[in-house]
Structures are given as structure tokens and as C-alpha cells.
Amino acid sequence: MTHIPPPAEELRLLDLELRRLDARRAQLLHRRAWLVTVLQAAAGPTPALAPAPASFAPRPAEASAPRVQNVLLVLGGVLLTIAAMAFTLVSWGHMGITGRALVLGGITVAVLAAPVPLLKHGLRSTAESVAGLGFALTVLDAYALREVALADVDATGYLAAASAALVALWTAYALLPHTSALRLPLPTALVAAQLPLTLWAVAADAGLYWITAAVLVTAGLDTGVALRVPAKTVRITAMAGAYGMGAWGVWAAGWLSWTATGPSAAARAAALLLFAAGIALAAAWQQVAGKQAGGLAVTAGLLTVAAAGGTARSVLPDTWTVPAYLACGIALLAAVRLDRLPETVRHGLARASGAVQGLALLWTLPLLGITLMGPVAWAERVWSGAPGDVREAVSVSTPWPPGAEAVPVVLAVVAVVLVLAVRDAVWRPRALSGVLALAWATALVLPAVLEVPYVAGLVALGITTAGALAAAAWIRPCERPEKEAAPQPDSAPAIDFPTPGPTATVLALLTSLTLAFLSLPSEPATLAVLSSLTALFAAASWRPHLAPVTAPTALAYAAALACATGAAADWQPQYTALLVLAVPVAAALPAARLGSSPATVPVDIAGALAGLLAVGLAAASADLPMLALVLALCGVITAGTAIRADRRPVAYASAALFVLATWVRLAASDVGTPEAYTLPVAVPALLVGALHRRRDPRASSWTAYGPGLATGLVPSLLTAWGDPNWARPLLLGLAALAVTLLGAGHHLKAPLLLGGTVLTLDALHELAPYIVQVTDALPRWVPPALAGLLLLALGATYEQRLRDARRMRDFLGNLH
């Protein structure tokens, strides 16, 4: 425990500590004064300077000196270049040919020689700017030579030759001993080197293939420079050229491959694509540890697939275009097995193969969407006649896509590749989920592709649904241990992927929906399919891990079967509603035995929705007696459900349903008296309130008796105000008087206030005509006089209360 000294002892300790602090402060001040004296003696007498005003305080520089220098040099070089261009283009004609050559050539030589002394004096940035000006002057020299001496030469060819000459000139300038320290010449020469080959091909009318080849060769040269030259500026420039020219060349080669009309043209385009793939592969091989190696390997793989697939496409029908590319993409997996290739390259080729397979699967999605969603259009044409085959049935509102005959082949081949290629223990279950989905998609689209007869197609879809449910029942979910080992710091975060079991369940549900909609054109098919689906999903519900999905699905199909049966028998909707009520009964019976199973809530919800469907059918018919019967049966079902300990609140819904059934039945019998509707509710409510008060004496009377009394008295009061007869107001007044007396006798607020209020309002209603007569007989000054007297009485009372308060204040003030 903390020791707290007495006040005297604590005061003594505080004084001692303060004296110590004062002594230490005096010592420090003495030492400071001595140090100031020593410093002043060493520095000599200096006049005291007043502190500078805040407005004249030095401000930090917004731009550094090197940056200002570079900006000035760049601006100077640009201005000189503009001046040289103006001289060449505008003032050139005022001089003879000799003068022109001497002036421009002399200026160019002088400017190119100027960086040498600048470098000797250490002015490297200035030398770089002057060298840039010299390069611009060489371009102007080439332009001037074209205008003066070579005006008849082809412009494209001359531009190619001039760019090549400039590349050679700038490269030689960069390699000279005195100018090799400059960083600008080599990148500038590399930028100009992007033009000669392509321009020569254009000038020679070589055709699109040779122009594309020239572009790709230029990209290859850029790649070699980027891989071999260590200078950073040169390497960055070469990479930009390689990516730019390579993208242009690959796009052109791909377009040539896609538009090739024969094997010869496709082969030439394939050669271009393979050349580009070789460049990317070589770059990836040289930069195994680089960040770009994986992307380059993927690019090489995709280009190889495009080359081989384009060649195969030129000799195959259009239907097999995607399978041809897919086969080439799968062939890339053979390269993954080669140990000579670096691991980064092999992984990149594997990703390229996966990308090709993914694109092929995307191509199958339109047909898969038509097969799944196309039958929904039959909901507007129920029992209009069975179509001839499955393709006609699924494409009733959507045109059949071209080339869809190869879709099952693509799906099956990718599924086989997943089975054979994925061997890793972690990825194997995820691959099996994909295989299951692909096998399901193949089975789903195959009947439509083969134009199977309508009935056979329904059978095939039913078998697919049963197979998916069997797979879901056979593949049990993996149970995780309760306490998992702590993850290692360097381990990657775990990612949850769908396992085959849930995947199969979802696929079975989707197939069953397609099958149900596909059966709508024919009445016998609808009844048979709905019966089969109900039985199938009910049988699958015996597996505990499937019941949360299959049990409510079975109940939904049972409700649909009940509606279809009623429609087939030409029953009115209200009679069909009685048949639909069998579904809530079928849901309530097993739900009572499921207990805390995960399937309990879904089954209860499905049963409740089926009950709402029955009520809706009965209400749509406008047959009030049948609606009352349906509501009463729903109340019986909910009352049976409320017996369960975990479903006690359902009793409120049961009571509401019984009340609604009673009211609907009374309305069907043309009963207009409101007491007939309210008293059957008020009396049980009061009895329940009395039982509640007996079990819990502390319960409020408003909770126990308020709802029942309000239900019984308020509707009758509202009706009595518009009733010209005397019987209802008299009976209501007697009932309200009895309630008021009971509340007063038992000291209960709710009966006393509710009964008294209703009794007062009922009495006012009865006395209202006489009050009006008395009011008309009184002079007009009487109401203001009465109001004035009331206000005077209130004021006097208020003053008396204030006086009593002052007396109490004085009395308390005199107390000691």
C-alpha cells in the first residue's frame, strides 16, 4: 500500500526539495555567466545587433542551383535551335549555294566541337546542351541538302538514308575519345535508329509483311542493346524502343495472321510472330532474375500460340478455330517439362498456356448462358406445345451462336488438361472443382449442340442433375481441426477455394432450374419433371451436409408441382391453394425432428413461403369462404409449429391467422357489426392477460389488459360516434362503466383510464345535441366571461403558490 506521510512531514519534504532546486539553479546561472565572459573575451568586442525583422528573414530557396542551371541550359539550347531553324527555312534564300554550305556547315562543326573544351573545364551540363544543339543542326543540314541538291530523290528513301547517316554520325561522335563522356549522343542515335529499316521497307514498296519484319528487326536490335549496353540512359531508351516497336510489329503480325486467306499467307505471318516470340524468349532467358522475365516469357508463349494457331486456322473450318488455338496453347505445357529452360521461363510458359485455356473458356460462355437462361422464356408460353429438339427449346428467344458445335470439345479438353496437369497436393482439390464444373458444362450443352430430341434432352438433363447430386453426396466436406497450427512468419496467407462438394451442389441446383423451365412447353413433361426433381432432392436431403440446400429445394419443387397439378386438373386457384398447403405440412413435420440442424431454418422458411403462396392463390380468387379456410389451416399449421420449444414466437402468427380467418369468414357472411370482429379477439386477449398477471403479479396492467381493452372498446367507440341509434352507445357506456369500476376496485391504471376515457367520450357524444342547444340559447358574452373567470382562478392559484413558496424560503432562512 502507498505510504502517505502526515501533512507536517510532507511540508518539510517539499521545502527541502525546493531549496535543492534553488541551489542547483544558482549554480547553473553562475556557470553560464562565466562561459559568456570567456566567449566574449576570445571574440573581441562586437556591437550588439538588433534582430532582423520578420519580413527580412531569409527564405528557403524554391529551386536548387543545379536545377536552375539545367533549366537555363535547356532553354538556351532550344532557343538556339529555333534560331537555326528560322535561319535555314527563312533566310536561306538570301545567300548563294556556297555561302549556304559554308555558313551552316561551319556553324555545325563549331557547335559539335564546342563540347570538347567545355568538358576540359568541367562544364558537362553546358557541353550536353551544346551537343544537343549540334545534333539539331545536323538534322537541319540533312534537310538543307535535300532541298538544295537532292530535291528529285524520293522523300521516304532519302529520310531513311539520312536517318541512317545521322545514326552513324552520332554514334561515331559518341565514341570519340574527347566526347565519350557525353551521355546524350548514344540515346539520340538510338532514337534515330528506329527509322531506317522501316522507312527503307516503305520506300521499296516491300509490302506489309516486309514492313512488319523491319519493325520487328528494329525491336530485336533494341532488345540486344538493352541487354548488352550497361549505360542506364541507353538501356532505358533501348527498352522503350523495344517495347514500342515490338508492340507495333506484333499487332501488325497478328492482324496479318488473323486475316490470312491461305496457308502461305498464314505461314508468313506465323514466321513474323515466331520471330517476335524468339526476341521475347531471348530477353526472358537473359533476365532470369529480373522482374520482367516472367512477363516476357508469357508474351513469348502467347505469340507462339498465335503463330501456330493462325497457321492451323487457315486450313481448318471456322468452327474449329478456337480448338486449334487451344491445342497450340496446351502444347506449350510440353515446354514446361524441359529442364534446360530456366524456372522463370517455364512458369511464364505455363501461365501463357493457362491464359489461352482461359480465353477458350470465355468463348464458350455465350452458349452456356443460352443453355442456362434460354429456357426461362418458356415461362410466358406455358404448355404451348413441345419443341422438336433441345436446340430449338433453349434458343426460343435467343439466336444460336455460330461455331458453337466445338464448345463441348473445348470444355472437355480443358477438363482433361486440369486432371493430367495439376498434381500439386494443394491445388489438386481446386483443380477437381474446376474439372467438375467443366464436365457439368459439357453435359449441359451437349444435348443442344447435338440437337437431341426434346424428351431425350430432358432425360439427359435429369441424369446430369442426379449425377451432380450423387457427386455432392459422395464428396464429403473436409472438416478442419479445431486448433490449427500457428502460421509461420514467412508462409503465404491461406486462400479458401471452393471444394468439389459445394460446387457439385450448386451445379445440381442450376441444372434442375434449367430442367424445370425446359419442361414448361409440355404438360406431361412439366408434371413428370417436377415430380422427379421433388423426389430427387428429397432423397438427397438424407445426407446431412446437403440438407440445408436440397430440403428447401425439394419443398419449392413440391409447391410448383402442386400448382401444376391444380392447373392440369382445371381447378380454381382457391382449390389449388388447398393442395399447396400440403407443402407447409410436409415442412413442419421433419423440421420438428431436425432440432438444431443447419437445415431447420431453411426448411421452416420454405414452408412459410409455401403457405404465403397458398394464401395468395386463395386471395386471388376472391372466394372469401375458401380464403378463410386457407387462413385457418395456416393457423393450425403454425400452431403445431409453435409447440416446438424453439418456435414459441410462431404462436403470435398463429393467433393472427386465426383472427384473420374469423374476420374473413364474418365478412363472407355479410356481418357488418364491428363487435363481431373485435370481441372474439378482445376476450381471449383479456384472458391471456389475466393469466399473465396471475403468473407475474409485477406485470403492468397496460401490458396485460391494454391490448384487449383497446381492441374491444375503441372500434365500438368509433362506430358509436356515427351511429344515430341509442342501443350501441348505451351498451358501450355500460361496458365502459363496468371496466372503469373494475379498474378502480382493483387499482389498475389501464382499465381505469381506458374505461373512463371511453365512458366520457360516449357521454359527450350522447349529450352533444343538448350542449349545442344550450350553447345557442346562451348570450354571446357568456363564453368569454367564463374563460375570463377560469383565467382569474388560475392566476389566483398561481399567486397563492408563490406566496407559500416565499413563506417557506423565509422560514428556512431564519433557521440556524
Side-chain angles (χ1 to χ4, degrees), residues 625-652:
M626 288 300 300
L627 177 59
L629 177 60
V630 170
L631 290 172
L633 293 176
C634 290
V636 172
I637 297 172
T638 52
T641 304
I643 297 176
R644 293 158 47 188
D646 57 339
R647 292 292 183 268
R648 296 297 189 212
V650 182
Y652 295 104

Side-chain angles (χ1 to χ4, degrees), residues 87 91-106 147-148:
F87 171 77
S91 301
W92 187 259
H94 300 290
M95 302 178 63
I97 185 171
T98 304
R100 301 172 188 174
L102 289 176
V103 171
L104 193 56
E147 291 294 325
V148 173

Side-chain angles (χ1 to χ4, degrees), residues 14-56:
L14 291 176
D15 292 337
L16 179 62
E17 187 67 20
L18 289 174
R19 284 194 295 271
R20 289 177 180 176
L21 292 175
D22 291 336
R24 180 60 177 167
R25 184 174 184 275
Q27 181 183 359
L28 294 176
L29 290 174
H30 179 73
R31 180 66 178 174
R32 180 183 181 279
W34 180 81
L35 291 174
V36 170
T37 305
V38 172
L39 292 176
Q40 289 179 350
T46 56
L49 299 178
S55 59
F56 296 96

